[in-house]
Amino acid sequence: MKNPILILFFLLFWVVAQGQNVSSIDSIPSKGLVLTNGWKWHAGDNHEWTNPEFDDSDWQIVDPTQDVNTIPGLSQKGYGWFRTTIEFSPVVAQKLTTLQISQSVASEVYINGLLARTIGKIDLKRGVVQAAHIFQNSSIGLPYSVSYPFVQISVRVAYERNSFYNRVGFNKNHCFRATLIETENAPKTSAYLRLQSYYGWFQVGVFFILTFLHLSFFFLYRTQRANLFFSGTTFALGVAFFCIPLSFDFVETLSLYFIVEFIQTISFPIAYLFLIRAIYEIFHQKTGILFWLIVVFGTFIMLSLFTPYSLGSIWAEFGTELLMTAEVIRVTLVALRKHQPGARLIMIGMCLSLVMFMLFYFDVLLEYYGLAPLFPQGFGGIITYQIAVLCVPLSISLYLAISFSQTNKVLIEKLQENNSLTQKTLQQEQEKQQILEAQNETLERQVRERTSKLEKSLEELKAAQDQLVQKEKMASLGELTAGIAHEIQNPLNFVNNFSELSIELVSELKEEFEKPDTEKEPDLISELLADLTQNQEKINHHGKRASSIVKGMLGHSRMGTGERQPTDINALCDEYLRLSFHGMRAKDKSFNADFQANLDPSLPAVNVVPQDLGRVLLNLFNNAFYAVNQRNTVGTLHATSLPAPTVSVQTKRLAIAVEIKVSDNGNGIPNDILPKIFQPFFTTKPTGEGTGLGLSLSYDIITKGHGGTLRVESAEGKGTTFTITLPISVLPSV
């Protein structure tokens, strides 16, 4: 009973299948069989189309492996169905088979009317579609039966409208690709994808290590900018190859896959741009217009990926890489002709890379157009590409490493040479230091000797100065003494003269008294007594005058304490003017001059040191009398009529000071020596007649000792005037 029922069911399905497109499978290759024929297509969505008995004879025959945008009505309606029926031969029906699916849409796969797998995400209620990408392979085990060798497959596909469908990478975005493969051979396909992922990780490690290495070279030697640009090349290549395992192992949706593939696509031209800049730096070539034309072309190709006129990223990547590689070869050939170092090594790597790239792309094109590839899948798809990509970076890296090692070697040699020179310089410096130390010791000894001599000379100079100052003081004292002596001599002369007259009068009076009374003359006696009385009065007067002079000198000597005290400037000027005059007369009997004192009676008492100020006045008066005497002497010798030699002193009260002017009508002081008049040891007198300290000491006494001023005005042939200004202290008038 059971067998007749199965036979009837088989006959019924066979009848239905006659109205459908049936694909007969007689054998399955080890790599699998891509199901491209026998598929029928209908845009739209109807769940009844999952029924194996549905009549799809009026549906359109379409190859589902073509580009997703070429499937009729899919992009417009968003949904559609593929249907096919597979008939296994008795030999194939006895084997376990697996359906491997790769797609650029979201799908629901029904086997004999039953849902076998949902790939991607389809939410009909919310209208959400999340498509899978072509490298996200899914496997479905097919039922097998020797008595029933038919398998009906219905596939609902959904179009993800938000995705940017384009031909990225090296594969077209096929809509739905089903590969029938024996179950025991299915893991080989997955192993190939894993192998690509492993090689991707290997390339990532190589390029990131090279990036770190050449960045380190650059930071050690910043002048070698080729290391910087080459590290940019290796980094961009590392990013590009990182996208391979990222697509295989981590990215599941079509949208993310497009982003990753786009990053991979633009990373290669960026890497080659950095490579060109590195080659320019290596061979010392400037960036010209050709480089910027390449940059513009690459940018244009990359932007065209977002337009409907795009040729796909495989051509964009291949075109830019080929153009940039040609520029690198051109620059390297120019360097090779110039016999620049490293050009031969880089050219070898470039040629090997170019050959491998051509083999790889030719193999890809053969497979793309459905022809048999040149190499087996593992070798042609992976090995050639790995060699092609690694040749140029490794050759340049090797050259830069050799250049770095040579530079380092040269630096080490220069460092050793520098150390040797440093040692020699240090030895020379030590010898110089020893010489300098010996010279310093000699100089120090000579300095000590000269210092000792200078100190001795200074002591002798100070002693000489002290002697000169003392001589000046003694000279002033001598002049003062001479003046005092001459001043006292006058009253003493009077006393002596009147004493002698008195003695004579007393003798005459005695003679009169000794006469007899009859001979005495009373009138004569009275006259003698009167003369004698008058002489005694004059003796008394001149004695008191001498006594007053002595008392005045004693008073001055007692007040010589060096302290300031209220002083009558008029009296001081008059007294020292006379002392100076008499001193000059005492030294020179032929001296003759007039002196005048024009004293201001309203002059107040001034707080000064009388002895010091008297010394200044005496010095000025002495100089004035000396000047008029010299002029008088010269005028007498030349019989020239001159005005009478005159020395005058004038006092005047100012607002806050007292002014003393000492003037003479001598020859005056020449203009060329007038600025030196107050300098120590400078004198206008002949040698032996002056010390040169009088005016210097006088200037210090007035300016430093009393806070006043001492000025000189002179006209040659007319005379000289010294002006003393002393500040007034608030004291009562004397």
Side-chain angles (χ1 to χ4, degrees):
M1 185 72 179
K2 184 176 181 181
N3 289 335
I5 294 175
L6 290 174
I7 292 172
L8 290 175
F9 185 78
F10 171 75
L11 291 174
L12 179 62
F13 188 83
W14 182 81
V15 171
V16 174
Q18 295 305 310
Q20 299 176 351
N21 194 14
V22 179
S23 299
S24 298
I25 307 298
D26 296 327
S27 63
I28 302 176
S30 60
K31 294 191 297 182
L33 177 65
V34 180
L35 302 179
T36 57
N37 300 322
W39 290 93
K40 290 192 173 183
W41 163 258
H42 193 285
D45 189 26
N46 190 342
H47 195 268
E48 294 182 359
W49 296 342
T50 62
N51 190 353
E53 300 178 2
F54 178 76
D55 184 11
D56 56 9
S57 58
D58 58 343
W59 284 21
Q60 184 179 359
I61 296 176
V62 175
D63 181 4
T65 62
Q66 61 182 312
D67 191 272
V68 65
N69 288 316
T70 62
I71 303 299
L74 177 59
S75 60
Q76 291 80 17
K77 293 187 177 181
Y79 293 92
W81 286 79
F82 288 105
R83 286 174 56 86
T84 189
T85 301
I86 301 174
E87 180 185 3
F88 294 113
S89 67
V91 177
V92 176
Q94 295 179 3
K95 299 179 179 180
L96 293 176
T97 56
T98 298
L99 198 64
Q100 291 183 336
I101 297 172
S102 172
Q103 61 186 30
S104 297
V105 292
S107 66
E108 292 178 352
V109 182
Y110 293 87
I111 305 296
N112 295 333
L114 300 177
L115 179 63
R117 177 69 59 87
T118 299
I119 304 173
K121 182 178 181 181
I122 301 176
D123 191 342
L124 296 177
K125 293 181 180 180
R126 295 187 297 172
V128 176
V129 177
Q130 193 173 65
H133 64 85
I134 58 176
F135 292 109
Q136 187 181 0
N137 289 337
S138 301
S139 299
I140 302 175
L142 295 181
Y144 67 98
S145 174
V146 177
S147 59
Y148 183 69
F150 294 94
V151 176
Q152 197 280 327
I153 303 173
S154 300
V155 182
R156 171 195 278 160
V157 295
Y159 185 87
E160 184 178 351
R161 298 184 183 277
N162 294 330
S163 293
F164 172 67
Y165 283 95
N166 203 342
R167 286 174 291 174
V168 297
F170 304 128
N171 299 277
K172 63 183 180 180
N173 297 323
H174 49 257
C175 178
F176 182 84
R177 178 176 177 175
T179 302
L180 185 64
I181 191 171
E182 294 183 13
T183 303
E184 62 181 7
N185 293 328
K188 295 181 181 179
T189 305
S190 300
Y192 172 71
L193 295 177
R194 286 195 301 272
L195 187 62
Q196 283 188 314
S197 179
Y198 294 156
Y199 275 111
W201 285 117
F202 170 75
Q203 296 278 24
V204 170
V206 170
F207 287 122
F208 281 172
I209 289 173
L210 289 177
T211 301
F212 174 78
L213 181 64
H214 287 279
L215 272 180
S216 301
F217 288 167
F218 171 72
F219 286 121
L220 287 174
Y221 300 102
R222 292 181 181 270
T223 55
Q224 296 183 353
R225 299 180 63 201
N227 284 304
L228 177 63
F229 292 115
F230 186 70
S231 64
T233 300
T234 55
F235 179 77
L237 290 174
V239 171
F241 282 98
F242 177 69
C243 294
I244 295 176
L246 193 65
S247 300
F248 291 160
D249 300 335
F250 300 100
V251 175
E252 296 181 355
T253 64
L254 186 64
S255 299
L256 289 178
Y257 171 75
F258 282 147
I259 294 174
V260 172
E261 286 296 315
F262 180 73
I263 293 174
Q264 182 183 17
T265 301
I266 66 174
S267 294
F268 283 106
I270 292 174
Y272 273 83
L273 285 176
F274 277 111
L275 181 62
I276 293 175
R277 290 290 285 116
I279 291 295
Y280 285 174
E281 289 292 331
I282 290 173
F283 298 127
H284 309 290
Q285 180 171 330
K286 295 182 179 180
T287 303
I289 189 171
L290 184 60
F291 173 78
W292 295 111
L293 288 175
I294 294 173
V295 172
V296 172
F297 174 77
T299 304
F300 175 76
I301 293 297
M302 292 299 106
L303 292 177
S304 69
L305 293 175
F306 296 93
T307 67
Y309 305 101
S310 172
L311 297 177
S313 62
I314 183 173
W315 297 108
E317 183 179 332
F318 177 74
T320 54
E321 287 179 0
L322 187 62
L323 181 62
M324 295 177 186
T325 302
E327 171 62 7
V328 172
I329 292 176
R330 183 192 70 82
V331 175
T332 308
L333 283 174
V334 173
L336 194 61
R337 292 194 191 101
K338 296 180 179 179
H339 302 286
Q340 292 185 351
R344 187 183 301 276
L345 177 61
I346 295 176
M347 180 57 72
I348 292 173
M350 190 65 63
C351 293
L352 184 60
S353 174
L354 189 61
V355 171
M356 289 298 163
F357 265 127
M358 297 300 294
L359 290 175
F360 171 75
Y361 280 114
F362 185 71
D363 198 56
V364 169
L365 290 176
L366 290 176
E367 187 177 359
Y368 182 80
Y369 288 107
L371 301 175
L374 295 176
F375 305 102
Q377 186 181 26
F379 184 79
I382 298 177
I383 302 300
T384 55
Y385 190 74
Q386 301 293 327
I387 296 174
V389 171
L390 286 174
C391 280
V392 175
L394 287 180
S395 62
I396 295 178
S397 179
L398 182 60
Y399 165 72
L400 291 175
I402 293 173
S403 176
F404 179 81
S405 64
Q406 291 176 348
T407 303
N408 193 37
K409 182 179 179 181
V410 171
L411 289 176
I412 291 175
E413 291 176 355
K414 289 184 177 180
L415 182 62
Q416 292 175 350
E417 182 180 355
N418 187 34
N419 289 335
S420 177
L421 291 175
T422 303
Q423 292 294 333
K424 292 181 180 178
T425 304
L426 183 60
Q427 185 177 0
Q428 292 175 356
E429 288 294 330
Q430 290 176 350
E431 293 176 356
K432 290 181 180 179
Q433 188 67 25
Q434 292 176 355
I435 294 173
L436 287 175
E437 289 178 356
Q439 291 179 350
N440 287 336
E441 291 179 357
T442 303
L443 288 175
E444 288 178 358
R445 185 179 67 256
Q446 292 176 353
V447 168
R448 286 194 298 269
E449 293 175 355
R450 292 181 181 179
T451 302
S452 177
K453 292 179 180 179
L454 288 174
E455 289 177 352
K456 184 177 180 181
S457 299
L458 183 60
E459 291 177 356
E460 293 175 353
L461 180 60
K462 287 182 178 179
Q465 289 178 347
D466 292 340
Q467 291 176 0
L468 288 174
V469 172
Q470 186 65 26
K471 183 178 179 182
E472 179 65 24
K473 290 181 179 180
M474 294 303 294
S476 299
L477 181 60
E479 293 174 354
L480 179 61
T481 304
I484 293 172
H486 193 273
E487 185 72 14
I488 295 175
Q489 185 65 38
N490 287 332
L492 288 179
N493 287 336
F494 282 108
V495 170
N496 291 331
N497 292 333
F498 285 114
S499 297
E500 291 177 355
L501 289 175
S502 297
I503 292 172
E504 291 178 359
L505 289 175
V506 170
S507 297
E508 291 179 4
L509 186 60
K510 184 177 179 182
E511 290 176 357
E512 286 295 324
F513 277 108
E514 289 178 353
K515 288 180 180 180
D517 291 335
T518 57
E519 294 179 6
K520 291 181 182 179
E521 298 179 5
D523 294 332
L524 180 60
I525 293 172
S526 296
E527 183 180 353
L528 291 174
L529 288 174
D531 290 337
L532 183 60
T533 301
Q534 186 179 3
N535 286 345
Q536 293 301 319
E537 289 176 356
K538 288 181 178 181
I539 290 172
N540 182 49
H541 171 72
H542 288 289
K544 289 181 179 180
R545 174 173 171 75
S547 178
S548 65
I549 292 173
V550 173
K551 288 179 180 180
M553 293 302 101
L554 290 175
H556 281 297
S557 64
R558 293 191 189 100
M559 291 186 295
T561 59
E563 296 181 358
R564 293 190 183 188
Q565 56 185 334
T567 304
D568 186 350
I569 300 299
N570 288 336
L572 200 64
C573 290
D574 182 68
E575 181 179 354
Y576 280 95
L577 177 61
R578 295 179 183 276
L579 288 176
S580 177
F581 174 76
H582 292 297
M584 294 296 292
R585 288 291 300 272
K587 290 192 293 183
D588 185 4
K589 299 297 183 181
S590 64
F591 171 76
N592 187 24
D594 294 334
F595 61 88
Q596 298 174 358
N598 300 319
L599 306 176
D600 187 355
S602 64
L603 209 64
V606 180
N607 201 22
V608 297
V609 180
Q611 293 77 19
D612 292 344
L613 184 57
R615 184 182 302 169
V616 172
L617 292 173
L618 183 62
N619 181 262
L620 295 179
F621 292 144
N622 288 339
N623 289 340
F625 282 120
Y626 177 84
V628 297
N629 186 44
Q630 288 295 109
R631 180 175 182 179
N632 191 38
T633 302
V634 174
T636 302
L637 292 175
H638 292 84
T640 303
S641 60
L642 296 174
T646 304
V647 174
S648 64
V649 59
Q650 179 184 0
T651 60
K652 182 180 179 181
R653 179 171 182 172
L654 304 177
I656 58 173
V658 170
E659 183 180 77
I660 305 172
K661 287 188 176 181
V662 178
S663 304
D664 65 73
N665 57 354
N667 292 322
I669 303 173
N671 291 329
D672 57 338
I673 66 174
L674 194 62
K676 307 176 184 178
I677 201 68
F678 294 118
Q679 292 181 3
F681 306 106
F682 179 81
T683 180
T684 60
K685 298 177 182 179
T687 304
E689 294 189 19
T691 62
L693 292 175
L695 286 178
S696 174
L697 292 174
S698 299
Y699 185 83
D700 290 340
I701 290 172
I702 296 300
T703 57
K704 298 179 181 179
H706 291 81
T709 61
L710 177 59
R711 305 187 307 274
V712 60
E713 298 175 359
S714 182
E716 290 190 55
K718 294 183 179 181
T720 304
T721 299
F722 285 88
T723 303
I724 300 173
T725 304
L726 297 172
I728 298 176
S729 300
V730 182
L731 292 169
S733 299
V734 177

